[in-house]
Amino acid sequence: MEELLDPALAPVRVFVKHDDNKARKLKYNLGHPRVLTFGGAYSNHIRAVAAAGLRHGFETIGVIRGEERLPLNPSLAYAAACGMRLTYLDRATYRLKHTAEVQAWLRERWGDVAILPEGGSNAAAVRGCAELPAEITEEYDVICCPVGTGGTLAGISAGLPPGRRAIGFAVLKGAGFLAGEVAGLQRAAYGRVWTNWSLELGYHFGGYARTTPALDGFIAKYRVEGVYVAKMLYGIFDLVRQGAFADGTRIVAVITGEPSIPAIPVAECAAPSGSHARIAGAAS
């Protein structure tokens, strides 16, 4: 991990952990010879599933929101190059992708498939994300992560040692529903809901992939990914400024997806090691 060295973060300490949560979500979802999943035209989840299919030798089908646009953008071109077959749903039908009727139609068209939800968040994904806390060998008090669909936060919370807590920063506007999603994912994975997590809903900056001049300035200053990472880090900086954390609190900020190195000066911390999940009572 790396410590962020910025006077604005005093009197707490913030450490960055780069982590591929898409791979964690897929870890316990693989095994079927044909996998179908959903995403927008720039979905990191679509890319991750396509890459996993190429690497592990299973078929992949990507159901993309909206109309086909040619030439393919770089994200979809990458997925296609990995062998993923792309199909499209109009936005009205896409909103019903979770229903029995739409899924039955997809199975009729594509045959025997394992269907993964948009963003990859299901019970199996939560179990994969729950392994993250045990890989952090340094002392910490709080883990923060961006939240799109809730799976990463649900898993981190389930894997936390006693006395630690998790904070999720929603990247969607009007995301109060995510509290129920996180709880539902934990219940589906483990039959219980943890109370060691909370959601921050005030750092969406207008909604998914939306921005404001303030966020743009933050992104430019610290050179971080804007859809997920910048909103979380901005939220952490703001909560520190408000005095939301006790002096000396050690915060781990999970940078999900591909590495995005902040421009904030950093100091090396011990590299994470191990992969043993600590889940008492044992799934963006």
Side-chain angles (χ1 to χ4, degrees), residues 4-151:
L4 301 188
L5 303 178
D6 190 298
L9 293 172
V12 308
R13 300 182 69 186
V14 177
F15 300 86
V16 166
K17 175 175 172 56
H18 296 289
D19 193 82
D20 186 356
N21 70 322
K22 297 301 182 187
R24 290 188 186 277
K25 287 182 175 182
L26 289 175
K27 180 176 179 179
Y28 297 114
N29 269 304
L30 302 184
H32 197 282
R34 182 181 297 155
V35 173
L36 179 149
T37 195
F38 307 88
Y42 291 89
S43 168
N44 288 332
H45 173 65
I46 289 289
R47 288 169 54 95
V49 172
L54 177 63
R55 184 178 306 115
H56 299 289
F58 61 87
E59 296 180 52
T60 57
I61 300 154
V63 181
I64 310 303
R65 180 180 63 248
E67 303 300 320
E68 180 181 27
R69 296 182 182 275
L70 297 175
L72 296 175
N73 68 43
S75 291
L76 294 183
Y78 173 85
C82 288
M84 174 175 275
R85 287 183 285 177
L86 301 176
T87 186
Y88 298 82
L89 285 180
D90 65 83
R91 293 176 184 273
T93 306
Y94 191 88
R95 285 193 291 271
L96 301 174
K97 62 187 177 298
H98 62 285
T99 63
E101 291 79 7
V102 171
Q103 295 205 357
W105 175 77
L106 288 169
R107 292 184 190 281
E108 181 179 351
R109 178 179 179 185
W110 295 104
D112 182 19
V113 294
I115 297 180
L116 299 186
E118 183 176 30
S121 290
N122 58 14
V126 171
R127 291 193 291 272
C129 292
E131 296 177 353
L132 186 154
E135 297 177 11
I136 301 174
T137 58
E138 297 301 304
E139 289 296 322
Y140 66 92
D141 305 292
V142 181
I143 295 184
C144 296
C145 68
V147 178
T149 55

Side-chain angles (χ1 to χ4, degrees), residues 198-274:
S198 61
L199 276 167
E200 289 289 339
L201 303 177
Y203 299 100
H204 55 77
F205 295 89
Y208 184 78
R210 299 290 181 86
T211 188
T212 66
L215 185 64
D216 286 339
F218 187 89
I219 293 168
K221 180 177 181 180
Y222 295 117
R223 299 201 304 273
V224 291
E225 183 274 330
V227 176
Y228 291 93
V229 176
K231 294 180 178 182
M232 173 191 63
L233 288 177
Y234 189 105
I236 292 172
F237 273 69
D238 192 51
L239 291 177
V240 170
R241 181 186 61 79
Q242 294 179 39
F245 301 105
D247 291 3
T249 299
R250 295 170 62 95
I251 301 167
V252 173
V254 178
I255 308 298
T256 53
E258 296 178 357
S260 175
I261 305 295
I264 311 169
V266 298
E268 287 296 324
C269 186
S273 62

